[in-house]
Amino acid sequence: MSHILISGANRGIGAALRTQYLETSASVIGTHRDQPSPGMMHLDVTDPASCAALARNYGDVPLDLLICNAGIYRDKGAALETGYPADDWAASFATNVTGVFLVVQALLPQLRASKGKIAIIGSQMGSTTKAKGDALIYRSSKAAVLNLGLNLATALKPDGVAVGVYHPGWVQTGMGGQTADIAAQDAAAGLRDCFAHLSLATTGCFENWDGRPHAL
């Protein structure tokens, strides 16, 4: 039985991933910022103590797949002249970048025990090929987490832990909006295929939800 943990699994892509994995024989735990509930553990990725508590509560069970999905997008539609307050920069990097690292760091023993995989939900908006001059905070945070993922892939390869970063597509969620290209269920199905093919041979990859490589 595979053991899977998904951060930010209470809505959107995270919820779709959790639902689909639960239909398999995998043991799936989701996290959210609310109180614990069946199959869901409390986690605030911006709080080191919360990340440490998650690892303690998860226990010594080897972790086969960690999906770092929790993220925020505060600066949609922000104006260059009047938007982008410092608090939004701090909150976005705390969730989208530092939060990913803290969760990975807390669960390293469980990941190393299984020679598991880490899948980071990034975005094509973090690619240098997609610099359009808007959403500066979100784009910067996703560029940073892409860099983090590539460095973690190098750092953890000797431990047998593979790391991939994935663009989930423009998805019909609260973040993506209902005019987006694909449904969360379709994005989740594609991402699951990507995660299944992630290995030490492909560690450090940056891929689209449908498995196509994405330019850095």
Side-chain angles (χ1 to χ4, degrees):
M1 177 185 293
S2 296
H3 295 274
I4 300 167
L5 192 147
I6 308 168
S7 70
N10 56 315
R11 61 189 180 207
I13 298 166
L17 284 166
R18 178 173 178 263
T19 297
Q20 291 183 18
Y21 276 121
L22 283 171
E23 293 172 352
T24 72
S25 60
S27 171
V28 185
I29 293 175
T31 77
H32 58 177
R33 286 179 290 182
D34 296 329
Q35 293 303 308
S37 57
M40 296 286 283
M41 299 175 70
H42 168 76
L43 175 64
D44 179 352
V45 299
T46 69
D47 180 2
S50 181
C51 295
L54 171 73
R56 288 195 303 272
N57 293 332
Y58 179 83
D60 296 328
V61 178
L63 181 57
D64 299 296
L65 175 61
L66 169 62
I67 303 173
C68 296
N69 170 72
I72 60 174
Y73 183 3
R74 285 193 171 188
D75 57 326
K76 184 182 294 186
L80 183 60
E81 297 80 6
T82 59
Y84 305 109
D87 286 350
D88 282 0
W89 284 93
S92 297
F93 271 76
T95 299
N96 297 351
V97 187
T98 310
V100 171
F101 175 76
L102 291 176
V103 173
V104 170
Q105 185 182 50
L107 291 167
L108 275 178
Q110 293 90 336
L111 287 161
R112 284 170 167 155
S114 68
K115 298 187 185 300
K117 306 178 186 182
I118 300 168
I120 298 170
I121 303 302
S123 171
Q124 67 176 1
M125 292 173 71
S127 169
T128 57
T129 66
K130 299 290 183 177
K132 293 187 176 180
D134 64 345
L136 302 181
I137 299 174
Y138 187 74
R139 289 181 186 278
S140 297
S141 70
K142 288 302 182 179
V145 83
L146 172 58
N147 184 276
L148 172 63
L150 300 182
N151 277 283
L152 285 173
T154 299
L156 293 174
K157 189 172 184 178
D159 296 326
V161 176
V163 183
V165 183
Y166 301 91
H167 168 55
W170 185 22
V171 187
Q172 296 163 10
T173 63
M175 183 182 292
Q178 293 308 302
T179 61
D181 290 337
I182 57 174
Q185 294 80 3
D186 294 330
L191 289 167
R192 286 175 57 219
D193 286 340
C194 291
F195 305 161
H197 288 97
L198 176 62
S199 69
L200 290 180
T202 61
T203 191
C205 62
F206 180 31
E207 294 181 349
N208 288 283
W209 67 279
D210 56 6
R212 290 179 296 117
H214 199 295
L216 297 177

